[in-house]
Amino acid sequence: MQRFRALLATKRSLQSLRCLHRQRRSLSSVLPNAVEDEEPKNHVLVEGRGCSRLAILDRPSSLNALSTSMAARLTKLYQSWEENPDIGYVVMKGSGRAFSAGGDIVTLYRQLNEGKVEHCKDFFRTLYKFIYLLGTYLKPHVAFLNGITMGGGAGVSIPGTFRVATDKTIFSTPETQIGFHPDAGASFYLSHLPGYLGEYLALTGASLNGAEMIACGLATHYSLNEKLNTIEDRLANLMTDDPSIIETQLNQYGTLVYPEKKSVVFRIEEIDKCFGHDTVEEIIDALEQEVAETNNDWCTSALKKLKEASPLSLKVSLRSVREGRYQSLDQCLIREYRMSLHGISKRVSDDFCEGVRARLVDKDYAPKWDPPSLEQVSTDMVDYYFSPLGEVEPELELPTGQREAF
């Protein structure tokens, strides 16, 4: 960590001098460069503002769902920006009513059904590598989480320096509802939330609003949607790479907010009581007992979500979050990559394709999970998701020697 900070301080002192003497480019000018021209139908737009770069996820009709090409483009852009001494910091936002709804799982579903498994592997590999790049980025990063922010959308924002939530933000990790597991670094950041809130969010897929994200630490700042343009303009005028100066601007134009009294963040004691157990079965038993004794609406809702989710995904996801509590970001991503590839292999279960079919393709909302009950999910099934990929399938390789994870 000391090595990372020393390198960052050295780079910052040099970059600040260059930024201050650099001629400002006009606001909102789209940057023509070779990287952008490589893919004519790209869904990542770029704007150059003073000493910064703005990456815009631009698939509004798909809620800015992330594709392999988008993750690859982000990687290429962020690498070039990190090396460019004229660029002090980077901003990311989404088009339309979402920041990003996560990975493009419908495309993954179709590719799997067409036998294009290697395409799916490439998606996870490319996305996870970008997330590690962001989590070890040497320049300040600001993500405006305005609107829907789910799954992989959280993965490409939460590891950065600053996350600005708004009154339009809706955050969730709903993967167990589609027969998958919270991935894209989720086992790292969920496991570091207060108490067992991470387990609750991972297993139920429950959503948080912007105020709740601030309260539990998922977001660093809050702004009303109507003020975002002002904040963006203020940031665009900064000629700096100093995160403290950026933070001062975010604090100055941000909004102080508190969650509602009925918010889940005020139920940490109840969450810990129910979701602190060792197994999914014990968690469900605790919730059922709580419902019987108190008739609590929150417990009833959580219980309903658990019973709708894939039994296998519940057990896999619980173990994932528990392991994430003792692992670094790179370790979590490497493990999640194993889990994701095992999950799409269909060797144990076809729950991922079945979940996507039921919720996003046919939309009958009646998935036929396999196994259909928690009792039928064996320890060996769960262990398989965490097992090494084997000799013929390489593990996820991250540049941990060059980029130190937190």
Side-chain angles (χ1 to χ4, degrees):
M1 191 63 189
Q2 287 81 4
R3 176 165 57 86
F4 172 82
R5 286 173 176 164
L7 178 59
L8 179 59
T10 302
K11 290 174 71 71
R12 181 178 300 146
S13 62
L14 294 173
Q15 291 167 356
S16 294
L17 290 173
R18 293 188 178 101
C19 281
L20 288 173
H21 291 88
R22 182 172 177 264
Q23 184 176 6
R24 294 187 181 184
R25 301 183 181 181
S26 59
L27 296 179
S28 304
S29 60
V30 178
L31 296 178
N33 56 48
V35 174
E36 293 178 40
D37 293 337
E38 287 174 3
E39 186 180 357
K41 295 182 179 179
N42 72 72
H43 297 290
V44 179
L45 305 180
V46 177
E47 293 182 4
R49 298 186 169 196
C51 201
S52 70
R53 291 295 180 272
L54 171 64
I56 306 172
L57 307 179
D58 191 41
R59 292 183 72 191
S61 62
S62 301
L63 300 178
N64 301 322
L66 299 165
S67 64
T68 305
S69 60
M70 290 172 71
R73 178 169 164 75
L74 285 169
T75 300
K76 193 172 293 187
L77 288 169
Y78 274 56
Q79 287 174 337
S80 68
W81 294 340
E82 188 176 60
E83 296 170 359
N84 188 336
D86 291 333
I87 297 174
Y89 62 97
V90 176
V91 180
M92 183 189 290
K93 70 176 184 178
S95 296
R97 63 190 184 95
F99 172 73
S100 173
D104 188 350
I105 56 177
V106 173
T107 293
L108 291 177
Y109 164 84
R110 290 172 178 157
Q111 289 174 339
L112 288 172
N113 286 338
E114 294 169 1
K116 299 177 180 177
V117 181
E118 294 303 318
H119 289 71
C120 298
K121 293 178 183 179
D122 189 39
F123 167 76
F124 291 113
R125 182 168 51 248
T126 307
L127 179 63
Y128 293 5
K129 284 186 174 183
F130 172 71
I131 291 169
Y132 185 72
L133 172 65
L134 177 62
T136 57
Y137 210 56
L138 295 179
K139 294 182 179 181
H141 187 268
V142 181
F144 288 108
L145 309 180
N146 193 35
I148 297 169
T149 305
M150 295 182 179
V156 299
S157 56
I158 289 178
T161 322
F162 305 110
R163 290 89 61 193
V164 182
T166 76
D167 51 322
K168 302 292 185 181
T169 301
I170 302 173
F171 164 88
S172 71
T173 52
E175 285 83 357
T176 61
Q177 300 293 314
I178 58 166
F180 206 58
H181 63 97
D183 69 321
S187 66
F188 178 75
Y189 64 77
L190 288 179
S191 64
H192 289 77
L193 297 181
Y196 293 96
L197 178 61
E199 281 87 338
Y200 163 72
L201 294 173
L203 298 184
T204 65
S207 62
L208 299 179
N209 60 33
E212 291 168 329
M213 289 188 74
I214 283 286
C216 71
L218 285 171
T220 59
H221 295 81
Y222 183 90
S223 169
L224 296 175
N225 173 58
E226 61 193 33
K227 291 186 177 181
L228 279 185
N229 288 337
T230 300
I231 295 177
E232 284 189 49
D233 290 342
R234 295 290 181 178
L235 289 179
N237 290 327
L238 295 179
M239 302 297 286
T240 185
D241 63 344
D242 188 339
S244 65
I245 294 176
I246 297 171
E247 184 173 24
T248 297
Q249 289 293 307
L250 293 174
N251 290 337
Q252 182 177 353
Y253 294 98
T255 303
L256 189 63
V257 66
Y258 298 98
E260 297 179 357
K261 291 183 179 180
K262 64 180 181 179
S263 169
V264 68
V265 299
F266 294 122
R267 296 183 179 275
I268 294 298
E269 186 175 338
E270 296 171 68
I271 288 175
D272 289 355
K273 180 180 178 182
C274 295
F275 285 84
H277 291 284
D278 293 335
T279 68
V280 177
E281 290 90 341
E282 290 174 321
I283 290 172
I284 290 178
D285 287 344
L287 285 168
E288 288 178 336
Q289 182 177 348
E290 196 73 15
V291 169
E293 294 176 357
T294 66
N295 197 27
N296 189 308
D297 290 341
W298 168 80
C299 288
T300 301
S301 175
L303 197 57
K304 181 176 182 293
K305 289 179 180 295
L306 290 179
K307 292 184 175 181
E308 291 174 345
S310 157
L312 177 58
S313 291
L314 288 174
K315 290 197 173 186
V316 168
S317 299
L318 179 61
R319 177 170 165 182
S320 179
V321 173
R322 293 279 163 86
E323 289 194 5
R325 194 162 276 127
Y326 303 99
Q327 294 177 331
S328 58
L329 175 61
D330 59 297
Q331 291 171 328
C332 285
L333 288 170
I334 291 170
R335 173 178 46 74
E336 289 175 2
Y337 182 71
R338 289 179 179 176
M339 296 167 64
S340 296
L341 264 57
H342 285 317
I344 64 173
S345 71
K346 303 185 182 183
R347 292 178 185 172
V348 171
S349 173
D350 193 22
D351 273 4
F352 173 64
C353 282
E354 175 60 11
V356 176
R357 179 206 64 77
R359 290 195 169 270
L360 297 171
V361 180
D362 296 340
K363 298 183 180 179
D364 57 26
Y365 301 98
K368 295 178 176 59
W369 302 125
D370 179 28
S373 66
L374 290 169
E375 293 75 18
Q376 293 172 275
V377 178
S378 69
T379 301
D380 287 343
M381 289 178 178
V382 177
D383 287 345
Y384 173 72
Y385 278 76
F386 295 83
S387 63
L389 293 175
E391 296 180 1
V392 296
E393 186 68 58
E395 301 281 353
L396 179 67
E397 295 184 1
L398 299 173
T400 54
Q402 294 76 39
R403 310 184 69 91
E404 185 177 1
F406 299 104

